[in-house]
DNA sequence: TTGAAAGCGCTAACAT
DNA sequence: ATGTTAGCGCTTTCAA
């Protein structure tokens, strides 16, 4: 038999020790201890040593509640995302902002959303400047347009304003933190899902569909991962064709329909979230149930087609939780001086007909 | 074109209003306002009305930091789980307890784990009593043994101690909150994963493996879901056999091996988490790569077999996060008087060879 | 460079 | 039934 596990030693908490206690032990005032704890300077080397030697003895855990209450300051953070009206994906994100806003209101933190579009007077850069007027203490940004974003970051760095990025990473901008997914791996996963159970020839279409797809280098990561999966793991004959489509082109729908009608096609992988349902609709209209369709995110439309079986798998990018997490990191930094991870890659969640409801009701997603 | 979205009105926060403000507006003292806010009684109907009418005018959001700081009280919560040494699953849970413990230490909350085994002097009931000696303010319990658990709950109800359950639900015990998964749906999902891409005859084994499997009615839920999926959705011939195995039986391994060697078998669904790797090992030893194996949870062993391809899918029950969430609910209740959901069903996460790493590195899981 | 003291918003004990 | 007040642990200002 085994011995019974005891409560681990380090969990045994005695009465927690306060700044006042440290001050007494070190023979200095509370003010001095505070100065040492936060490296505020103006401390004699001798006092510093006295305090530090006490600090080394004991395991001081500051009371975070008291800390932020004592600071007696209301923080503001601005959140910058693309205009939600254009896309159900950003609508999701926006609802996350609202949720986070309610949550942090209790801690005296105000969250202000700002929305940008590609250019004109609502460009990221202009909106960023506008948001700066509110004198925020930090920013949370989804920087989907690369060149504009760079200007904004250098501006923020000048001002010394901390910012966290989500959705799209721009590593050279050195944000406080980035929240997103590993896109290459996401493509690999899509490949695996596409191939499950298939043992004969496959004809696959990869569709990159969007407004100005040409700039979206990051979608290529997904495609690379997808192709890599097939190269490494699949041994029967496979043909993979990738196509960029602009939703604003006149023949967009017609082109799509022609592709779907092609009897050879066995699977379609759509690299973005909103257009999946369009493809699903066309598949349904043409009764092409043989096609395995894989796409992104549980947008309302997508959920319906998934439940009906016209979409086989969705990979969830968790837009809502990404922004909530981003805001949470920013606030933890501001309010509690907590360390936040510089990159947080979300899990690649596989959504099918039979677990989609469990995601919807769970609330934590 | 569309109009640009503005920051929603209700997010516009002006300087937040305090109890002191309400008191002034209502023409009463802070104490009275506090009494009204918390229904502490001892308030004249006239004062009550004055305060309430002010409360109706304004949107009072209490400062939670100040509230719990002002209460100046350190909460203790006990967590009761099966002995972790017996099972990697509970080891996971235990690491969740340690994580939660570190997190809440900052808020002056102490988390004390206690471990029980099926019976003897370490039974749930006895351990529960022992944990009561520490005078906890709440309990978080994984009640895997039904009859013993009932006694504990009635004891806790007598004492008026709040408790939240996770992992296994006992609805009639009326806990503050339950965290777990929909087991029937979990079985359905397993069925779907088992059937993907299959178009010819399937011979499937459902294996319920454990220490005292006979009592575990809840595993039947998974089986029911699994069978239901096949009945409703699959039209080619299928044979499903379910078997209960006790790991302590002498011929346990031998029996298992005989089953795996059966050339007809196309798939195996193991309804618990630890034994999956044992089955995977036997499949590997007998080179039965044709068998699709589905089981539960990302235990270290399971992860390896998943990566090597001997396990096809794992459904993640998220043991670690379940307990963290349970503790979080308990603390939110105690510390902030926050409303906690009476049931929280976790999403049914599908883990494959190509997203397992994304789950491991993500940290939030 | 230091210590003393006044908050932060809320709770709870104590007079009245 | 009501008002007053002394904390909670930390930050920050101000005087020494």
């Amino acid at each position: 038999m085994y011995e019974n596990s005891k409560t681990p030693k380090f969990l045994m908490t005695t009465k927690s020790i306060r700044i006042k206690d440290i001050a007494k032990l070190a023979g200095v005032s509370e003010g001095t201890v505070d100065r040492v704890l936060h490296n505020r300077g103006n401390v004699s080397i001798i006092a510093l040593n006295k305090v530090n030697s006490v600090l080394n003895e004991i395991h001081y855990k500051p009371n975070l509640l008291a800390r932020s209450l004592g600071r007696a300051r209301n923080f503001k953070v601005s959140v910058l995302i693309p205009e939600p009206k254009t896309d159900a994906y950003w609508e999701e994100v926006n609802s996350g902002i609202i949720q986070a806003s309610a949550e942090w209101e209790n801690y005296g933190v105000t969250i202000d959303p700002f929305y940008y579009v590609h250019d004109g007077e609502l460009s990221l850069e202009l909106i960023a400047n506008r948001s700066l007027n509110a004198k925020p203490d930090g920013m949370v940004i989804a920087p989907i347009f690369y060149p504009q974003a760079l200007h904004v970051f250098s501006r923020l760095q000048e001002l010394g304003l901390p910012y966290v990025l989500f959705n799209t990473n721009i590593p050279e901008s050195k944000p406080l933190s980035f929240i997103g997914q590993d896109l290459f791996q996401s493509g690999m996963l899509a490949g695996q899902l596409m191939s499950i159970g298939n043992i004969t020839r496959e004809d696959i279409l990869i569709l990159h569909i969007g407004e100005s797809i040409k700039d979206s280098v990051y979608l290529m990561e997904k495609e690379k991962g997808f192709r890599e999966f097939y190269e490494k793991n699949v041994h029967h004959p496979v043909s993979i064709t990738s196509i960029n489509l602009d939703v604003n082109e006149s023949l967009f729908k017609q082109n799509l329909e022609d592709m779907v009608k092609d009897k050879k096609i066995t699977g379609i992988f759509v690299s973005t979230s909103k257009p999946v349902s369009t493809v699903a609709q066309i598949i349904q209209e043409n009764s092409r149930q043989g096609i395995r369709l894989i796409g992104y995110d549980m947008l309302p439309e997508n959920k319906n087609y998934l439940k009906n079986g016209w979409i086989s798998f969705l990979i969830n990018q968790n837009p809502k939780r990404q922004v909530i997490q981003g805001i949470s990191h920013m606030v933890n930094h501001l309010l509690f001086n907590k360390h936040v991870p510089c990159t947080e890659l979300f899990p690649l969640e596989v959504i099918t007909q039979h677990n989609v409801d469990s995601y919807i009701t769970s609330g934590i997603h």
Side-chain angles (χ1 to χ4, degrees), chain A residues 192-289:
Chain A
Q192 187 196 5
L193 296 173
M194 185 63 87
S195 74
I196 294 170
N198 293 343
I199 44 173
T200 55
R201 176 176 177 82
E202 293 181 65
D203 277 277
I204 298 166
L205 236 40
I206 300 179
L207 264 27
H208 304 296
I209 307 175
E211 299 232 27
S212 45
I213 276 302
K214 54 195 176 306
D215 300 330
S216 306
V217 277
Y218 75 98
L219 292 181
M220 288 306 110
E221 279 300 298
K222 290 180 178 173
E223 177 171 339
K224 270 201 277 181
F226 190 90
R227 287 180 182 276
E228 169 120 344
F229 174 85
Y230 268 86
E231 271 162 39
K232 289 231 172 115
N233 301 280
V234 172
H235 306 302
H236 54 256
V238 176
S239 128
I240 301 179
T241 315
S242 69
I243 296 171
N244 289 5
L245 290 175
D246 194 314
V247 285
N248 294 323
E249 263 175 48
S250 57
L251 291 174
F252 167 66
K253 274 234 174 177
Q254 186 55 51
N255 284 338
L256 214 52
E257 187 153 1
D258 290 344
M259 294 175 201
V260 167
K261 277 181 173 163
D262 180 346
K263 286 286 179 264
K264 289 198 309 298
I265 299 301
T266 56
I268 299 180
F269 171 41
V270 181
S271 63
T272 49
S273 50
K274 199 176 66 161
V276 191
S277 54
T278 313
V279 178
Q281 190 194 350
I282 295 176
I283 290 181
Q284 180 178 22
E285 284 166 5
N286 291 275
S287 303
R288 296 283 285 109
Q289 38 269 315

Side-chain angles (χ1 to χ4, degrees), chain A residues 165-207:
Chain A
L165 265 34
F166 70 101
N167 196 269
T168 314
N169 200 5
I170 301 186
E172 64 269 34
S173 77
K174 300 255 177 268
L176 181 66
S177 180
F178 164 71
I179 290 102
Q181 278 184 329
D182 181 333
L183 301 180
F184 180 82
Q185 196 59 44
S186 175
M188 290 270 279
L189 177 61
Q192 187 196 5
L193 296 173
M194 185 63 87
S195 74
I196 294 170
N198 293 343
I199 44 173
T200 55
R201 176 176 177 82
E202 293 181 65
D203 277 277
I204 298 166
L205 236 40
I206 300 179
L207 264 27

Side-chain angles (χ1 to χ4, degrees), chain A residues 294-308:
Chain A
I294 296 178
Y296 283 90
D297 298 320
M298 300 190 296
L299 308 183
E301 288 274 272
N302 295 3
K303 276 186 291 205
N304 290 336
Y305 284 108
L306 185 70
K307 287 193 185 178
N308 299 336

